[in-house]
């Protein structure tokens, strides 16, 4: 079996989990001489990034066509080596990620194995689900009620995005933020975990972050994500020294090199990894191995389509450093429509084990066309 064709499809879709904002992805389709098809995805978010990534994928196609899809590692290294001038960070990593995911999908189909089987099988009996959404409702009582409603029957806890679109305006007023976390803990009771995820609009100083997180700790916060943005090693060192809550960041790193830097900084407890950004499944696996050696947790940023969801689900089941996996409160079109029959979803707060060759999902190509960027 040899790869014979590579194609890129920029798409745009409404994201109900982001106050209805339009988001973009770049999907990648890889086909073999035997007719097998693999799908990958880059979490590009913006239309211009999706279009640029599509051009990069087309430019890199000659490095993939003719390869054996079973030899994913060799192709991954070849792509990384080729992009030495414009890679090692930046849009090249989007293209590598999407191609790598598609090739792992093909590898599983060539071998007749699921991604989970190729990774050595499950390392746990159960995988908890964490409901992960953005705070958008302006009224604090209504916001607490809505956020708490994401958990029953579907998740073991909740992660709430501060500083997001909408009217919630969390992340800007200390007393309001603390009142929300306190109200959410009261609504959920003592068992479900609560995480806070700070968006790009939140700009806390290290002193402000210490003050906020210490106040949150009275309500048993499991972790706080990106409270100082994606790159502030000195600030994170001061924060980690001053609080007991775990610190999470890393999802905005481009590649294994950047994720390694975060791990080695000693300032991160929960390493976020987006396989649709940071060099694909191969990059995610390598980051999980590094984190496991340092006794750190890894957490998939799988907030886009059913393709990255399926990839993240298998890795999260297989890697000891992963302790849970997030699920969006509302099913977007790239999860509910793109994947035939819908992508896997948790039941009773637990994720199912993935099965089926490759990623275990089938992409509806008519849906790809229906959501074509600019279409």
């Amino acid at each position: 079996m040899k790869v014979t064709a590579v194609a890129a499809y920029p798409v745009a879709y409404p994201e109900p989990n982001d106050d209805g904002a339009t988001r973009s992805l770049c999907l990648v389709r890889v086909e073999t001489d035997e007719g097998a098809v693999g799908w990958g995805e880059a979490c590009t978010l913006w239309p211009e990034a999706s279009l640029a990534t599509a051009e990069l994928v087309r430019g890199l196609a000659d490095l993939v066509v003719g390869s054996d899809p079973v030899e994913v590692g060799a192709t991954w290294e070849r792509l990384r080596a080729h992009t030495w001038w414009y890679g090692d960070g930046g849009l090249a990593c989007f293209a590598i990620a999407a191609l790598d995911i598609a090739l792992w999908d093909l590898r599983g189909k060539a071998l007749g194995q699921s991604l989970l089987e190729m990774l050595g099988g499950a390392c746990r009996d159960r995988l908890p689900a964490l409901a992960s959404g953005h705070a958008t409702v302006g009224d604090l009582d209504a916001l607490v009620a809505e956020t708490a409603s994401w958990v029953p029957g579907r998740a073991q806890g909740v992660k709430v995005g501060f500083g997001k679109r909408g009217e919630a305006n969390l992340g800007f007023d200390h007393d309001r933020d603390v009142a929300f976390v306190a109200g959410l803990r009261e609504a959920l009771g003592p068992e479900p975990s609560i995480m806070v995820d700070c968006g790009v609009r939140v700009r806390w100083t290290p002193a402000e972050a210490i003050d906020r997180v210490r106040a949150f700790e009275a309500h048993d916060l499991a972790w706080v994500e990106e409270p100082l943005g994606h790159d502030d090693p000195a600030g994170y060192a001061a924060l980690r020294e001053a609080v007991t809550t775990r610190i999470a960041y890393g999802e905005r790193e481009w590649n294994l090199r950047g994720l390694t830097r975060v791990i080695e900084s000693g300032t991160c407890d929960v390493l976020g990894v987006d396989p649709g950004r940071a060099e694909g499944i191969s990059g995610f696996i390598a980051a999980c191995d590094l984190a496991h050696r340092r006794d750190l947790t890894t957490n998939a940023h799988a907030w886009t389509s059913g393709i990255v969801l399926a990839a993240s689900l298998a890795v999260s089941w297989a890697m000891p450093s992963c302790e849970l996996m997030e699920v969006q409160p509302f099913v977007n079109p790239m999860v509910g429509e793109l994947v035939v029959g819908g992508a896997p979803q948790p039941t009773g707060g637990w994720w199912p084990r993935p099965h089926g060759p490759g990623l275990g999902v089938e992409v509806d190509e008519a849906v790809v066309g229906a959501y074509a960027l600019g279409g």
Side-chain angles (χ1 to χ4, degrees), residues 46-71:
W46 304 109
E48 65 272 21
S50 293
L51 294 169
T53 300
E55 286 303 312
L56 288 170
V57 168
R58 292 166 190 142
L60 294 170
D62 285 347
L63 298 173
V64 179
V65 171
S67 67
D68 183 342
V70 173
E71 297 175 353

Side-chain angles (χ1 to χ4, degrees), residues 198 202 204-207 209 225-232 234-237 239:
C198 297
V202 175
W204 294 341
T205 66
E225 192 162 324
E226 294 196 331
L228 299 174
H230 76 289
D231 189 17
D232 184 359
Y236 277 120
L239 176 61

Side-chain angles (χ1 to χ4, degrees), residues 8-306:
Y9 301 95
V11 298
Y13 64 100
E15 179 52 86
N17 298 283
D18 191 16
D19 203 37
T22 298
R23 288 191 165 214
S24 295
L25 301 173
C26 184
L27 306 180
V28 168
R29 182 183 188 274
V30 180
E31 188 173 357
T32 72
D33 53 356
E34 297 182 12
V37 173
W39 284 91
E41 171 204 323
C43 177
T44 46
L45 190 58
W46 304 109
E48 65 272 21
S50 293
L51 294 169
T53 300
E55 286 303 312
L56 288 170
V57 168
R58 292 166 190 142
L60 294 170
D62 285 347
L63 298 173
V64 179
V65 171
S67 67
D68 183 342
V70 173
E71 297 175 353
V72 177
T75 304
W76 186 68
E77 293 291 0
R78 188 162 59 248
L79 291 168
R80 297 173 82 218
H82 177 83
T83 56
W84 65 273
W85 183 251
Y86 62 91
D88 202 23
L91 295 178
C93 295
F94 278 152
I96 292 171
L99 287 164
D100 182 76
I101 293 169
L103 289 169
W104 273 100
D105 193 20
L106 271 185
R107 185 176 195 264
K109 290 169 181 174
L111 297 175
Q113 295 181 346
S114 69
L115 177 56
L116 179 58
E117 290 172 321
M118 289 187 285
L119 297 180
C123 72
R124 53 181 43 83
D125 295 325
R126 296 197 296 180
L127 181 66
L130 175 75
S132 174
H134 291 178
T136 60
V137 178
D139 180 79
L140 207 60
D141 291 338
L143 178 61
V144 166
E146 180 190 73
T147 307
S149 74
W150 300 342
V151 175
R154 196 151 186 254
Q156 302 294 322
V158 63
K159 188 172 87 172
V160 189
F162 281 25
K164 304 297 185 178
R165 292 182 176 92
E167 305 301 323
N169 289 320
L170 293 179
F172 308 107
D173 180 270
H174 176 280
D175 291 346
R176 178 178 169 80
D177 293 349
V178 175
F180 169 75
V181 173
L184 184 58
R185 171 54 69 203
E186 183 178 0
L188 288 174
E191 293 300 324
S193 55
I194 298 175
M195 291 81 160
V196 167
D197 178 14
C198 297
V200 295
R201 292 172 57 215
V202 175
R203 292 287 187 269
W204 294 341
T205 66
E208 288 171 332
I210 291 169
D211 191 36
R212 281 290 209 299
V213 175
R214 281 177 171 169
F216 293 157
E217 285 179 345
H219 310 291
D220 193 21
L221 192 68
W223 80 56
V224 59
E225 192 162 324
E226 294 196 331
L228 299 174
H230 76 289
D231 189 17
D232 184 359
Y236 277 120
L239 176 61
R240 198 164 184 248
E241 180 70 23
V243 301
T244 58
T245 297
R246 290 187 293 171
I247 309 301
Y249 68 108
E251 68 186 35
R252 284 194 275 171
E253 294 298 329
W254 286 107
N255 51 21
L256 182 59
R257 179 172 175 268
L259 292 165
T260 301
R261 177 185 56 78
V262 172
I263 292 171
E264 292 181 347
S265 74
T267 64
C268 178
D269 301 289
V270 181
L271 183 73
V273 184
D274 193 325
R277 175 184 172 103
E279 300 182 310
I281 291 169
S282 296
F284 191 8
I285 294 167
C288 286
D289 286 338
L290 285 172
H292 185 55
R293 292 184 208 131
R294 296 292 187 91
D295 292 323
L296 301 181
T297 295
T298 47
N299 183 52
H301 182 253
W303 222 72
T304 46
S305 88

